[in-house]
Amino acid sequence: MEHCICEANWIGYDGEIKSSPDFICDFVTKKQVKSAEFQITAIGIYKAFINGKRIGRFEFAPGCTNYDKRLQYQTYDITDYIKDGENRLNVLVGKGWYRGRISSNWKNIHNTPCGIIASVNIVYSDGSKEVVITDNNWRVRESRILEDDLYDGETFDSTISDEELETSEKAVVLRNELSKEVLIPQEGEEVWEQEIIFPKSVFTTPNGETVIDFAQNVTGYATFSLNASEGKIIRYKHAEVLDSEGNAYTENYRSAKTEIKYICKDGLNAYKPSFTFTGFRYVVLPEKPEELDDRDLLSGFKAIAVYSHMKRTGYIETGSEKINQLFSNTLWSQRDNFLDIPTDCPQRDERMGWTGDAQVFCKTAALNYDVNKFTKKWCAELRTAQRENGSIPDTVPNFWQLKGNSAAWGDVICIMPWNMYMAYGDKLFLSENFDAMKKWVDYITGDTIQEGLWMTDPEDLKLWGKHYGDWLGLDAPEGSYIGATDPNLIASAFYAYSTGIVVKTGHILNEDVSKYEKLYENIRSIFEENFTELKTETEMVLALFFELTDSPEDVAKKLVTLIREDGYRMRTGFVGTPYLLHALSKYGFYDVAYTLLLREEYPSWLYSVNHGATSIWEHWDGVNDKGEFWSKDMNSFNHYSYGSVFDWVYTVAAGINTKEECAGYKEVVIAPHPDKRLGHLYCRFKSVHGEIISKWRYNGETCVYEIETPVKATVIIQGEEYKLQAGEHFCLTK
Ligand code: BGC
């Protein structure tokens, strides 16, 4: 297209619009239209309509980016929507991330006035063209959305008449001071309404609230279609869990109100929030609206799951119903937290792109779903947010304007591109991020007080965000979120790991990385000299998994002894847990890894399943055996981090791995490790080169293996190696 959005003007308005503004433009097509496209973005989030019809299905467009540097615009084909003659475009704009409470610390973003920029590019059948752009011909008016905020919910007044809206109309103003330099075409996956969930029950809680249970913790919104009379108010908030008395528990949402207030008109009221989402299992009506009974609510309400469009690639089914539920919980927590950016949680006043959480989960994410496009866009956000000195903010985009840059969090800039390259064989992940990776490693080199490691003065370690250590480790001192593992050891271990990734990346890209090769060797030798005694489980796990010890067998034995002495109550937190089972199985302790995977008492993965979880909890004991909550300020029931255990199930239990030198599963190694306690494991993974299947099941004392591979494979079963050709189906009983 010759014309583009860049020729349009930013428009906004002077004075007040009390509701979510509705920008309007009438235009006339003069000849027969051959094709028409619409380009748009907004300061906030928008929903666009032409002749009353919604354009596209992208929710929360234009998406979440570092708005000071990158603002996506979208291009929609509207050929089928445009009429001969008169047409009306209208664009409703909500606050979203840009102007909502979520960015209130980021003043120059948050305080930007509302605006849109758009163009309609029409090609007539005779080949002539016409462009309609945002300019002084547009008007703006009030809407029925009286309030909107991602955290706080929405207020909608359906009693406002069309005439009232029309009389509120006024001229727009041009906002030439707003930058067009930041405009970039859509990069990520679009966020869509993906699933509809019907309520399973409606009941009244002991404190008199009416609760609708969807039996699934989901991110999105609840919609309803109910008959009511004018002026009645339907008000509801959201909850993930009930407390021990059976009342809806909302304290863990902290200040996020997640409240919907809808003022009814006479007759049928059909409503869907436009500019807010939250994570919830329950819809909670503090007062039941008169005239409506439980049956009306049961048939009238629906939950809509909203997340980035990603194709499912990984399937796991085992002989344990509980592990199957845990897998379902992991898939849900991924969908619930992959809403344009990878977030820690979808419900409380946070929903941030926490880099550490994404770092620990990204490998599993790429096994479950095709996240190539999704992560590529977020890697661009990481690069954009990277500071001059190479450090990476702990949340990206950095809506809270955090100053910190923790180890294991910032390392996402090396670990995510590397994992994505391994998953898709797509070299862009490496070439686009190589400079940022090096900058991060160089930043560490310049930040340490002891060369060869990443060491920080104990006083500075107390700074919030310097290092989160083994976040939520169970060996944390009373009252602390940070586990007992030495933060300097974590920082140094990740320094080595990230430097190693820079070296491997440099080799693939044919870049000179001799400086980093030396650095890596140096870190490795100093690490062992410096951290002579590995005390905590996480310290041992990191030394083992990152290969930072010359006596791995001894360390592995020590780790196993510690775990056994603790009665298999693992102490690892966010940093150690994702690698725990890997560290054990790498040195032959498959049985211990399986014992931890299948353990049901606190702390364990299955504890939450036994307590009815439908998504992954932030804490092993979000709710304890007495029904008490962990805390109200840090207790999400939808945090994907611990779901990263499924990377172990795919790659060790089912044994599906790409060969490192054939990234993207161009050639694979399939080395399943069965355990009778799991009964069977059926695993399918749709790689970019086709579907890989690894199955095993016990038949008495023998195990039946079945493997299918679309590419050349090396199969390793109980130490024996078998070479398979592409397309081969392999069966073995042993
Ligand atoms: C988030 C975490 C995050 C952490 C950093 C929390 O509030 O929910 O998942 O990684 O802060 O320590």
Side-chain angles (χ1 to χ4, degrees):
M1 267 277 165
E2 203 176 297
H3 297 284
C4 90
I5 193 169
C6 300
E7 287 169 32
N9 306 285
W10 274 110
I11 56 169
Y13 48 85
D14 280 341
E16 205 188 25
I17 291 275
K18 291 197 266 341
S19 53
S20 314
D22 193 4
F23 291 89
I24 292 175
C25 168
D26 294 316
F27 66 94
V28 179
T29 54
K30 301 183 189 82
K31 298 177 243 180
Q32 203 193 1
V33 174
K34 184 170 161 228
S35 68
E37 65 173 30
F38 179 55
Q39 297 189 310
I40 179 163
T41 192
I43 294 178
I45 43 181
Y46 71 83
K47 274 193 167 168
F49 303 83
I50 183 157
N51 303 319
K53 277 201 199 118
R54 172 87 190 275
I55 298 175
R57 57 186 291 199
F58 190 166
E59 304 299 330
F60 310 109
C64 179
T65 50
N66 289 286
Y67 297 121
D68 56 338
K69 310 244 172 59
R70 289 158 48 87
L71 176 60
Q72 296 182 130
Y73 65 85
Q74 287 72 41
T75 303
Y76 302 96
D77 183 348
I78 52 165
T79 314
D80 293 340
Y81 295 88
I82 215 156
K83 290 193 305 197
D84 284 342
E86 284 174 15
N87 287 274
R88 169 164 286 198
L89 258 176
N90 74 299
V91 182
L92 265 171
V93 185
K95 296 194 184 84
W97 294 272
Y98 209 134
R99 293 182 299 114
R101 199 151 70 75
I102 194 166
S103 62
S104 47
N105 278 356
W106 195 353
K107 296 288 177 233
N108 60 336
I109 285 298
H110 181 76
N111 295 336
T112 312
C114 174
I116 62 166
I117 183 166
S119 73
V120 182
N121 311 314
I122 303 164
V123 180
Y124 292 114
S125 299
D126 64 4
S128 61
K129 291 174 184 161
E130 187 168 352
V131 184
V132 178
I133 54 170
T134 36
D135 59 14
N136 280 323
N137 291 319
W138 286 60
R139 289 111 49 212
V140 63
R141 53 162 81 162
E142 301 277 357
S143 75
R144 296 186 176 91
I145 302 173
L146 303 188
E147 278 170 31
D148 73 88
D149 186 81
L150 293 181
Y151 285 162
D152 292 330
E154 204 167 276
T155 302
F156 190 95
D157 187 350
S158 66
T159 64
I160 300 174
S161 66
D162 288 347
E163 292 71 40
E164 277 174 88
L165 296 177
E166 211 170 303
T167 45
S168 72
E169 205 163 284
K170 61 181 179 186
V172 298
V173 295
L174 300 188
R175 290 243 182 266
N176 295 328
E177 72 280 12
L178 292 174
S179 163
K180 290 193 214 170
E181 309 257 287
V182 295
L183 300 182
I184 52 164
Q186 170 70 18
E187 278 184 11
E189 297 282 8
E190 290 193 4
V191 174
W192 288 357
E193 290 188 352
Q194 305 274 4
E195 286 159 80
I196 299 175
I197 300 159
F198 294 93
K200 298 292 174 294
S201 61
V202 176
F203 51 89
T204 307
T205 57
N207 65 5
E209 291 181 325
T210 301
V211 168
I212 306 171
D213 181 7
F214 291 93
Q216 175 59 54
N217 208 9
V218 58
T219 297
Y221 31 74
T223 75
F224 62 78
S225 184
L226 295 165
N227 275 307
S229 46
E230 174 150 344
K232 291 276 177 283
I233 292 178
I234 295 174
R235 191 163 72 88
Y236 55 94
K237 49 192 181 156
H238 302 79
E240 294 185 289
V241 285
L242 303 178
D243 68 15
S244 55
E245 275 152 32
N247 293 315
Y249 181 70
T250 54
E251 279 183 296
N252 65 327
Y253 284 58
R254 305 199 301 217
S255 75
K257 291 197 201 79
T258 72
E259 190 183 68
I260 302 294
K261 203 172 149 196
Y262 176 92
I263 304 161
C264 299
K265 59 181 188 245
D266 249 338
L268 186 66
N269 288 270
Y271 168 72
K272 180 154 75 179
S274 289
F275 298 131
T276 192
F277 70 83
T278 190
F280 65 103
R281 168 176 168 161
Y282 302 98
V283 157
V284 185
L285 295 96
E287 305 97 30
K288 189 175 314 174
E290 286 166 46
E291 309 165 348
L292 296 175
D293 62 23
D294 287 359
R295 266 183 315 172
D296 297 322
L297 299 177
L298 198 59
S299 60
F301 267 88
K302 281 188 254 185
I304 313 255
V306 183
Y307 50 89
S308 291
H309 192 59
M310 318 172 271
K311 278 205 201 84
R312 175 93 178 265
T313 49
Y315 300 81
I316 286 172
E317 200 266 322
T318 76
S320 156
E321 275 314 312
K322 291 180 182 176
I323 294 290
N324 296 344
Q325 181 64 46
L326 184 72
F327 183 55
S328 162
N329 296 357
T330 303
L331 296 175
W332 270 108
S333 281
Q334 177 168 350
R335 304 205 289 274
D336 290 342
N337 281 293
F338 273 44
L339 198 155
D340 208 40
I341 57 164
T343 54
D344 57 335
C345 59
Q347 74 299 82
R348 67 181 176 223
D349 52 0
E350 200 149 351
R351 313 179 194 182
M352 288 285 158
W354 277 100
T355 50
D357 305 43
Q359 180 270 110
V360 305
F361 189 70
C362 64
K363 192 170 173 200
T364 304
L367 287 158
N368 291 336
Y369 289 90
D370 178 354
V371 294
N372 184 327
K373 204 168 163 188
F374 178 92
T375 48
K376 215 174 252 158
K377 174 203 163 228
W378 194 63
C379 283
E381 301 311 330
L382 289 173
R383 296 195 299 276
T384 309
Q386 186 168 35
R387 303 183 184 101
E388 262 312 284
N389 67 3
S391 66
I392 305 268
D394 297 321
T395 63
V396 173
N398 195 0
F399 288 121
W400 285 344
Q401 293 292 278
L402 299 175
K403 301 275 179 284
N405 48 282
S406 171
W409 271 248
D411 290 283
V412 72
I413 190 61
C414 295
I415 297 171
M416 180 180 272
W418 180 255
N419 284 345
M420 294 307 120
Y421 170 64
M422 280 296 128
Y424 304 112
D426 179 348
K427 273 198 193 160
L428 265 186
F429 276 106
L430 302 184
S431 54
E432 287 183 341
N433 295 298
F434 186 51
D435 285 342
M437 292 179 180
K438 286 189 293 183
K439 256 179 107 177
W440 167 249
V441 169
D442 293 347
Y443 159 73
I444 300 172
T445 306
D447 188 62
T448 184
I449 56 167
Q450 185 183 335
E451 201 211 326
L453 299 171
W454 190 3
M455 303 295 273
T456 301
D457 188 271
E459 265 315 296
D460 292 343
L461 277 181
K462 290 183 193 153
L463 296 176
W464 175 250
K466 178 62 198 184
H467 290 314
Y468 297 115
D470 192 17
W471 184 249
L472 306 185
L474 289 182
D475 44 14
E478 186 69 33
S480 167
Y481 290 129
I482 297 181
T485 295
D486 178 358
N488 281 327
L489 183 145
I490 295 176
S492 302
F494 275 88
Y495 181 29
Y497 192 48
S498 284
T499 307
I501 290 174
V502 168
V503 170
K504 289 197 280 189
T505 302
H507 291 162
I508 294 163
L509 299 177
N510 285 323
E511 297 277 351
D512 176 17
V513 279
S514 44
K515 168 179 143 190
Y516 298 97
E517 283 164 348
K518 278 191 217 106
L519 176 64
Y520 179 75
E521 287 314 320
N522 199 26
I523 305 172
R524 231 195 137 273
S525 63
I526 301 182
F527 185 94
E528 188 144 40
E529 272 166 36
N530 196 80
F531 300 106
T532 42
E533 206 203 332
L534 301 171
K535 295 180 298 300
T536 68
E537 289 173 11
T538 292
E539 289 176 6
M540 295 174 212
V541 166
L542 296 183
L544 289 170
F545 187 76
F546 293 161
E547 299 179 351
L548 297 169
T549 165
D550 285 332
S551 43
E553 276 77 20
D554 296 345
V555 175
K557 272 190 212 140
K558 200 172 152 196
L559 172 63
V560 169
T561 309
L562 196 63
I563 292 171
R564 287 201 175 123
E565 278 170 1
D566 259 348
Y568 294 92
R569 295 163 56 90
M570 56 197 161
R571 307 279 176 194
T572 49
F574 264 40
V575 167
T577 307
Y579 303 122
L580 174 61
L581 303 196
H582 285 288
L584 290 164
S585 54
K586 195 166 173 171
Y587 297 97
F589 295 101
Y590 296 96
D591 57 330
V592 182
Y594 268 106
T595 302
L596 291 176
L597 176 70
L598 296 169
R599 183 184 154 82
E600 299 194 21
E601 304 77 34
Y602 163 81
S604 69
W605 279 277
L606 295 186
Y607 172 88
S608 65
V609 170
N610 282 344
H611 285 69
T614 58
S615 49
I616 301 291
W617 293 359
E618 181 174 20
H619 296 271
W620 297 121
D621 58 344
V623 186
N624 69 19
D625 275 323
K626 290 188 218 129
E628 295 157 350
F629 293 108
W630 196 86
S631 82
K632 58 181 181 215
D633 62 327
M634 203 66 89
N635 200 7
S636 148
F637 292 91
N638 210 346
H639 243 67
Y640 49 54
S641 306
Y642 288 149
S644 55
V645 70
F646 277 95
D647 145 34
W648 186 85
V649 178
Y650 283 107
T651 64
V652 180
I656 298 175
N657 289 280
T658 184
K659 269 195 174 167
E660 197 165 304
E661 60 282 15
C662 300
Y665 302 86
K666 230 184 278 158
E667 260 189 55
V668 293
V669 178
I670 305 175
H673 288 95
D675 188 293
K676 209 173 169 188
R677 289 170 287 176
L678 195 58
H680 70 258
L681 171 62
Y682 298 159
C683 180
R684 281 195 295 139
F685 172 63
K686 292 180 183 170
S687 78
V688 282
H689 293 287
E691 185 166 88
I692 303 160
I693 298 177
S694 170
K695 296 182 182 178
W696 52 257
R697 63 174 194 281
Y698 274 85
N699 191 358
E701 285 315 303
T702 54
C703 191
V704 184
Y705 300 85
E706 241 183 283
I707 283 162
E708 270 179 57
T709 171
V711 293
K712 262 195 184 166
T714 306
V715 172
I716 308 169
I717 291 174
Q718 296 176 29
E720 298 271 339
E721 227 180 85
Y722 310 84
K723 295 281 182 202
L724 304 195
Q725 289 311 312
E728 233 183 289
H729 180 205
F730 172 88
C731 222
L732 182 77
T733 305
K734 218 166 167 181

